[in-house]
Amino acid sequence: MKIDFANLQHQYQLYKADIDANIQAVLNKSNYIMGEEIQQLEDELQNFTNTKHAITCSNGTDALLLAMMAMDIQPGDEIITTPFTFIATAETIALMHATPVFVDIDPVTYNIDPSKIEAVITDKTKAIMPVSLYGQPADMDEINAIAKKHNLKVIIDGAQCFGSTYKGQASSNCADIYTTSFFPAKPLGCYGDGGAVFTNNDDYAEKMKMMRVHGQNKRYHHKYIGMGGRLDTIQAAVLLAKLPHYAKEIEGRNRVAQAYTEQLSGTVTTPQVKADRTSVWAQYTVRVQNRGQLQEKLKEQGIPTAVHYPMPLHKQECFKYLGLKQGDFPVAEQAAQEVMSLPMNPFLTDEEITYIVNTLKSSI
Ligand SMILES: *Cc1c(COP(=O)(O)O)cnc(C)c1O
């Protein structure tokens, strides 16, 4: 058997008629930049999340920049985040000439440990940036309470969790600004680069809309230093065709995750989602001891795996200047040694899941 990790081809075949028609409509109109599909998609994203403003943009990395630009983050400001995430989270903080201040993670959820946040707050701290790793929201009540007490802003890097909920609310309603990515392999992906920012704050929304188009408030009149950060109309057209199926796909991802967990518990450390929130399972990630060998054996049997992420950010060469070292964030460091993501997409059949589980069990 040969397993596909994300199975984007199967997904395209399922929705092909709508996707092709939507792309063709853009070609027919040649409205490639800020075509009417952009506003339509933003309306649909607002409806889907019940968030007042959804603003699409070029990708999930630029979404983080737009959020920090809207908050007027200045050189030397400190932003508290997790070292166990994709590089973009802290890279964008550094691009703003601010300083990423890392806090270790919870060993069960892999998200930032809120009990360790207050110890690193200084008079330079401006914001907390939790990441919803693998699709599960962080402890937002605890994080928002700390932010309120110390007068800080909260930005959720929700690149992996669009569609997840926290205490019954869409994740995009749980911070000052929420950002996401529509990179093809994310739970809701387009066919190239794409992203969005969400907020219930009118001032942030207005500013991010300007920042996305070179800080302009009127054509060729620039109120702020902004960026070229728009989503392409063709990508909006793809997302408009896929969004109506997304709730069903999230159910499918949960079905796969539940089957994995039932069949794998006792063999490897399976992921856990807290009872007051839902995950969209951007990844189904287990912990194992002999990861390298296991990945090799699974690959031989047609089962692709991945490691999210093999090196925590405080150990990356680009962050050498922060002066951090091995041992500073032991929970993240151990996770980086042990985590392994299994194929995850809503189309995995029961037969494929059983094949993956049995092959994994016999390879340990
Ligand atoms: C994918 C990802 C991003 C970046 O999104 P792009 O659309 O690829 O720029 C940022 N943060 C996290 C946690 C991600 O997983």
Side-chain angles (χ1 to χ4, degrees):
M1 221 186 273
K2 187 131 180 53
I3 308 289
D4 194 302
F5 198 89
N7 218 347
L8 299 180
Q9 184 54 233
H10 182 86
Q11 188 192 46
Y12 171 58
Q13 294 304 331
L14 277 179
Y15 316 143
K16 186 176 187 323
D18 288 345
I19 291 170
D20 290 2
N22 278 13
I23 292 175
Q24 190 61 52
V26 176
L27 296 174
N28 291 344
K29 289 179 281 191
S30 302
N31 58 348
Y32 303 116
I33 301 292
M34 297 305 276
E36 63 205 357
E37 284 82 356
I38 295 288
Q39 185 62 56
Q40 282 170 16
L41 175 62
E42 291 174 350
D43 291 345
E44 293 300 326
L45 292 171
Q46 283 161 202
N47 290 339
F48 189 88
T49 55
N50 240 332
T51 305
K52 192 169 178 196
H53 304 280
I55 300 156
T56 57
C57 64
S58 35
N59 57 62
T61 306
D62 289 345
L64 290 165
L65 286 174
L66 288 170
M68 286 184 276
M69 288 160 97
M71 289 178 177
D72 206 22
I73 295 301
Q74 293 295 314
D77 287 350
E78 293 176 359
I79 298 185
I80 296 169
T81 190
T82 160
F84 195 57
T85 175
F86 181 61
I87 184 72
T89 313
E91 174 190 39
T92 50
I93 296 171
L95 264 175
M96 296 295 292
H97 299 283
T99 305
V101 175
F102 297 121
V103 164
D104 213 346
I105 55 167
D106 177 303
V108 176
T109 64
Y110 306 101
N111 284 329
I112 192 167
D113 182 344
S115 72
K116 295 179 179 155
I117 290 177
E118 277 195 293
V120 302
I121 292 175
T122 71
D123 54 7
K124 289 182 183 163
T125 309
K126 289 289 152 56
I128 309 173
M129 189 186 283
V131 176
S132 318
L133 208 73
Y134 307 147
Q136 171 171 209
D139 294 325
M140 294 316 303
D141 278 359
E142 289 82 350
I143 292 166
N144 284 322
I146 295 166
K148 193 168 176 204
K149 181 173 159 196
H150 297 272
N151 198 21
L152 307 175
K153 303 297 179 204
V154 178
I155 301 169
I156 296 176
D157 179 348
Q160 302 185 7
C161 82
F162 182 72
S164 65
T165 60
Y166 178 85
K167 300 194 173 173
Q169 289 223 59
S171 292
S172 51
N173 292 317
C174 298
D176 295 293
I177 299 178
Y178 168 94
T179 71
T180 200
S181 165
F182 301 127
F183 182 84
K186 305 284 177 176
L188 178 64
C190 58
Y191 289 168
D193 277 309
V197 291
F198 294 76
T199 185
N200 287 307
N201 177 312
D202 296 340
D203 295 332
Y204 286 152
E206 195 190 352
K207 206 165 165 190
M208 288 191 287
K209 272 188 191 165
M210 285 188 230
M211 290 302 188
R212 164 177 80 169
V213 207
H214 307 287
Q216 74 178 18
N217 48 2
K218 203 174 113 189
R219 197 165 200 193
Y220 304 132
H221 291 73
H222 304 273
K223 185 174 162 99
Y224 303 111
I225 302 289
M227 63 196 285
R230 295 163 300 225
L231 182 71
D232 295 344
T233 311
I234 287 184
Q235 300 304 338
V238 171
L239 287 165
L240 278 167
K242 289 178 69 170
L243 189 58
H245 304 283
Y246 188 50
K248 200 177 64 219
E249 288 199 356
I250 295 173
E251 276 177 37
R253 288 176 170 276
N254 275 285
R255 170 188 61 82
V256 173
Q258 204 182 325
Y260 271 145
T261 298
E262 277 166 15
Q263 297 177 43
L264 280 172
S265 60
T267 313
V268 295
T269 308
T270 51
Q272 289 180 40
V273 176
K274 291 194 176 178
D276 58 0
R277 62 204 78 173
T278 61
S279 175
V280 291
W281 300 101
Q283 304 297 342
Y284 185 90
T285 304
V286 298
R287 272 189 198 244
V288 294
Q289 297 308 319
N290 50 340
R291 184 175 66 196
Q293 281 171 303
L294 216 46
Q295 283 193 285
E296 228 10 81
K297 285 187 190 166
L298 289 168
K299 193 177 162 196
E300 280 165 19
Q301 302 299 317
I303 301 169
T305 56
V307 176
H308 305 97
Y309 295 92
M311 190 191 282
L313 300 191
H314 66 288
K315 289 170 66 180
Q316 298 287 348
E317 192 174 347
C318 64
F319 285 130
K320 225 172 166 177
Y321 71 94
L322 292 173
L324 299 166
K325 58 181 190 310
Q326 171 74 19
D328 284 347
F329 306 102
V331 185
E333 287 162 12
Q334 191 179 344
Q337 298 293 318
E338 298 177 352
V339 292
M340 181 176 82
S341 303
L342 300 179
M344 170 48 81
N345 63 73
F347 316 113
L348 281 169
T349 63
D350 291 345
E351 193 191 0
E352 287 174 318
I353 295 167
T354 303
Y355 174 69
I356 295 164
V357 167
N358 289 343
T359 310
L360 177 56
K361 281 181 174 170
S362 65
S363 304
I364 281 175

